[in-house]
Amino acid sequence: MSTVTKYLVYGPNDTLRRLPTKLIELHEPKFLYEYSSGTNNDKIYVAVYEQFEKQINATITLTCIIECTNSHNRIEMKKAGGRMGFRGSSLSEDKNIEANVVDFIMDFSKRFGLSLQEEVEPKESTDSEKI
């Protein structure tokens, strides 16, 4: 199972710069890499979160890449792992790490007046649709 979610966040530069640091403070990742550009003020954060789902005996991994520029933040989250399929009832009452990170981004954006926009990938057409 693998899903990718992408967001663009627009707003004042100082507030945009605080978003990744607050996210990392509140939800501490298992692994963190930070890159600062030498030519301009851009930064890239790569945070890897892991969460073990005891009920389904599987680990969910969330890789969160945050690109901070002067005009916007681009957030890309890739969720991998876990299990798919029908198991009878709801597996987990607790929120998973992806839901916690998305909720933080939406709450932070709303609280500080940032514009949040989800990037949607256009569906690729197949050859049979062209005929």
Side-chain angles (χ1 to χ4, degrees), residues 5-108:
T5 310
K6 298 177 185 179
Y7 294 104
L8 287 173
V9 184
Y10 297 96
N13 189 20
D14 293 338
T15 310
L16 290 174
R17 298 280 176 193
R18 282 195 323 217
L19 187 139
T21 55
K22 292 294 183 185
L23 173 65
I24 292 165
E25 284 176 17
L26 187 62
H27 301 288
E28 189 173 336
K30 185 163 185 166
F31 301 102
L32 176 66
Y33 175 76
E34 183 179 334
Y35 169 78
S36 297
S37 175
T39 57
N40 51 17
N41 204 15
D42 295 351
K43 285 191 172 191
I44 298 175
Y45 299 88
V46 179
V48 179
Y49 298 93
E50 274 189 355
Q51 181 179 31
F52 181 71
E53 295 272 342
K54 190 173 187 177
Q55 292 179 329
I56 61 173
N57 195 25
T59 301
I60 295 173
T61 304
L62 178 71
T63 304
C64 185
I65 302 168
I66 305 173
E67 300 173 14
C68 297
T69 64
N70 289 332
S71 61
H72 68 279
N73 284 357
R74 185 172 185 275
I75 302 167
E76 185 172 328
M77 295 182 293
K78 180 174 174 78
K79 179 180 170 187
R83 292 189 182 171
M84 292 179 63
F86 180 74
R87 308 264 286 155
S89 61
S90 90
L91 297 173
S92 178
E93 303 301 323
D94 299 332
K95 293 175 105 177
N96 64 17
I97 192 65
E98 182 183 30
N100 289 336
V101 171
V102 170
D103 285 349
F104 173 82
I105 293 168
M106 289 184 176
D107 182 52
F108 188 91

